[in-house]
Amino acid sequence: MKEDKLKVFINQTHSGTLTYENDKYIFNYLENSLDVVSLTMPIRSQSWVDKKLHPIFQMNLPEGALKDAIKNSFAKIKKMDDIGFLELIGPYMLGRVKFNELKVDEDNLKLENILHNTKENLFDELLIKFAIRSGVSGIQPKLLLSAHNKTTMKFEHFIVKSWNDEYPQLALNEYFCMRAIKNANLETPEFYLSDDLSMFIIKRFDIKDDNSYLGFEDMCVLTARGTDGKYDGSYEECIRVIKDIIAPQYKKETLKTFFKAIVMNHLLQNGDGHLKNYGILYDKNHNDAYLAPIYDVITTTVYIKNDIPALRISDAKLWWKEKTYKSFAKQSCGLSNKEYEQILTECKDSIIKTKKEIIEFENKNKNIKKFLLELHNIWVEKIL
């Protein structure tokens, strides 16, 4: 098959073709297609045409270190543009949408061997081994692999993330931020920290019991933006997406959950809660769509002292005052004063509880005391 034309699969079914022709990307559903490739691209006979790669196909293209690793390995033999990347990694990409042909991943690792490894450069070895199969977007070095979890005796799928000298202790940072999210009674995927603190491991949340995939779309896709527009949106836009797409039976709780996640970003000083870090899951279409678990939360101000939020509220990016959050909760999310106060209390309690966990961890790991103390001191317990 030519590089400018790719088969598009939804789970195991060939459902359409993606072509690059005359400087345009053209997607066509096959006549017998039953499932949508994206909630923003319903089935129709007319082509879906765009000057840039459609957001749903951009969503899982690699970025940063992972993209560089793949590009450096294959640039001599393949043109590594968007179509080239999709042709190369498409069979292995994260989620229900894949390209060209289906591959069976038969190379598995035991989760315990990742968590309790003694190799100094295990992540580098995994990156080399699994880079092509790592259809996971994002700038932080990460890769996708299947790990055998001894406690459940099933083959389960995980994303493994690491860090470099520019962002010291990033895995530890994300681990405790996710602990705080969990302590705030927000749904999270299963997550782990390796014994040597070098890797953060998170379980995939889009795989069904029969090993097929749920649909997953991030807010970039759902607001018709490419990956490069992930910092361009607003929380009000995300709320409008939730109101338009989330199934009616989940809508009210989703608005409360999303607002709580925004508050936690403030208390944790997470300036990277961009459009790709919120998503929606569904089985068939918008009639059963619901908010994905909260993921990719870190304290960014420990590295960038004057960092600001990734998205806008009321056309501004700043650590807003309590008055702005209260107005947003009422006007955009439809929350009552009682619901608002309850969310703030739960968030405050989660910060206090997780700070205690940090102190306990610090007492057992004196070599990282300075970083943990800094993390502890940055977190705030209330919005002023």
Side-chain angles (χ1 to χ4, degrees):
M1 180 175 288
K2 296 180 180 179
E3 288 189 358
D4 58 357
K5 188 173 184 180
L6 305 175
K7 292 181 180 179
V8 179
F9 289 84
I10 300 176
N11 279 315
Q12 302 293 319
T13 304
H14 180 203
S15 299
T17 58
L18 175 65
T19 306
Y20 185 65
E21 186 177 284
N22 298 325
D23 297 325
K24 293 180 181 178
Y25 294 91
I26 304 164
F27 174 73
N28 289 294
Y29 282 104
L30 299 182
E31 287 186 8
N32 60 347
S33 296
L34 298 176
D35 294 323
V36 296
V37 73
S38 167
L39 295 177
T40 64
M41 297 167 65
I43 296 172
R44 67 184 190 185
S45 56
Q46 183 181 352
S47 300
W48 288 94
V49 182
D50 205 318
K51 291 183 178 180
K52 293 184 178 181
L53 185 63
H54 306 77
I56 187 62
F57 302 139
Q58 283 191 45
M59 185 174 73
N60 288 322
L61 281 176
E63 303 173 68
L66 183 58
K67 182 176 183 179
D68 290 340
I70 297 172
K71 197 170 187 177
N72 291 338
S73 296
F74 292 91
K76 289 184 179 180
I77 59 175
K78 184 178 291 292
K79 184 179 180 180
M80 297 308 293
D81 55 8
D82 287 345
I83 291 291
F85 266 104
L86 290 178
E87 183 183 27
L88 184 66
I89 71 171
Y92 308 100
M93 286 183 75
L94 183 155
R96 68 199 283 268
V97 179
K98 292 180 172 60
F99 298 86
N100 246 15
E101 56 182 316
L102 301 178
K103 298 285 188 181
V104 177
D105 184 4
E106 298 177 345
D107 201 347
N108 296 283
L109 293 176
K110 290 185 178 179
L111 176 60
E112 62 183 41
N113 290 343
I114 303 173
L115 294 175
H116 311 308
N117 82 87
T118 57
K119 291 185 177 181
E120 184 175 348
N121 298 311
L122 178 63
F123 185 83
D124 292 337
E125 289 184 22
L126 294 177
L127 185 60
I128 292 169
K129 188 174 183 179
F130 291 97
I132 301 302
R133 312 179 200 184
S134 302
V136 186
S137 65
I139 293 174
Q140 179 182 346
K142 60 182 90 171
L143 56 98
L144 177 69
L145 51 80
S146 298
H148 184 268
N149 187 336
K150 189 176 180 181
T151 61
T152 62
M153 296 307 293
K154 292 181 181 178
F155 284 102
E156 299 176 324
H157 302 274
F158 294 82
I159 295 171
V160 181
K161 305 167 74 172
S162 187
W163 46 274
N164 54 36
D165 293 341
E166 187 178 0
Y167 302 109
Q169 302 298 342
L170 189 58
L172 191 65
N173 185 335
E174 185 163 0
Y175 175 78
F176 277 112
C177 284
M178 291 299 291
R179 284 294 308 159
I181 293 294
K182 191 175 182 68
N183 287 335
N185 298 315
L186 287 165
E187 184 182 359
T188 69
E190 288 181 26
F191 58 89
Y192 308 86
L193 181 68
S194 64
D195 290 348
D196 65 358
L197 312 183
S198 70
M199 290 180 285
F200 179 77
I201 300 97
I202 189 167
K203 185 179 178 181
R204 294 272 301 278
F205 49 73
D206 61 336
I207 300 176
K208 298 194 290 184
D209 291 339
D210 62 359
N211 284 325
S212 64
Y213 295 87
L214 293 167
F216 171 79
E217 298 182 30
D218 61 34
M219 287 292 177
C220 262
V221 175
L222 297 170
T223 58
R225 288 183 172 90
T227 299
D228 58 358
K230 63 186 178 183
Y231 293 107
D232 294 342
S234 69
Y235 286 119
E236 285 92 346
E237 280 185 275
C238 294
I239 292 298
R240 287 195 288 273
V241 168
I242 288 170
K243 290 178 177 178
D244 288 344
I245 291 180
I246 295 293
Q249 64 268 32
Y250 307 131
K251 200 163 293 185
K252 177 64 176 178
E253 282 303 311
T254 299
L255 291 169
K256 291 168 66 176
T257 294
F258 191 77
F259 178 70
K260 183 186 281 189
I262 295 173
V263 172
M264 287 301 295
N265 277 344
H266 183 115
L267 302 186
L268 295 169
Q269 296 288 281
N270 174 28
D272 205 39
H274 51 68
L275 293 174
K276 289 188 70 62
N277 284 343
Y278 301 101
I280 284 173
L281 292 166
Y282 59 93
D283 193 5
K284 297 297 183 183
N285 51 45
H286 66 277
N287 291 323
D288 58 23
Y290 57 97
L291 190 69
I294 304 301
Y295 58 95
D296 278 4
V297 181
I298 62 169
T299 297
T300 60
T301 56
V302 75
Y303 310 115
I304 307 169
K305 184 178 180 181
N306 297 316
D307 200 16
I308 58 175
L311 301 177
R312 302 187 304 274
I313 290 181
S314 301
D315 289 328
K317 287 186 181 183
L318 46 85
W319 300 112
W320 302 278
K321 300 295 184 182
E322 198 265 351
K323 180 180 179 181
T324 301
Y325 284 108
K326 192 168 187 178
S327 175
F328 177 80
K330 182 177 181 179
Q331 295 179 12
S332 295
C333 304
L335 304 185
S336 66
N337 288 337
K338 183 178 179 181
E339 289 170 327
Y340 171 80
E341 294 296 339
Q342 182 180 356
I343 287 172
L344 260 61
T345 298
E346 290 178 356
C347 291
K348 176 183 177 180
D349 290 346
S350 78
I351 294 295
I352 293 172
K353 181 177 181 179
T354 314
K355 280 186 173 182
K356 291 179 180 178
E357 293 179 9
I358 289 177
I359 292 172
E360 291 176 5
F361 193 88
E362 173 191 308
N363 290 334
K364 299 176 183 177
N365 298 271
K366 298 293 186 181
N367 58 318
I368 50 171
K369 181 176 181 179
K370 182 180 179 181
F371 177 83
L372 290 175
L373 181 62
E374 191 173 1
L375 197 67
H376 181 283
N377 291 339
I378 285 174
W379 290 6
V380 295
E381 296 175 10
K382 66 178 180 179
I383 300 167
L384 301 177

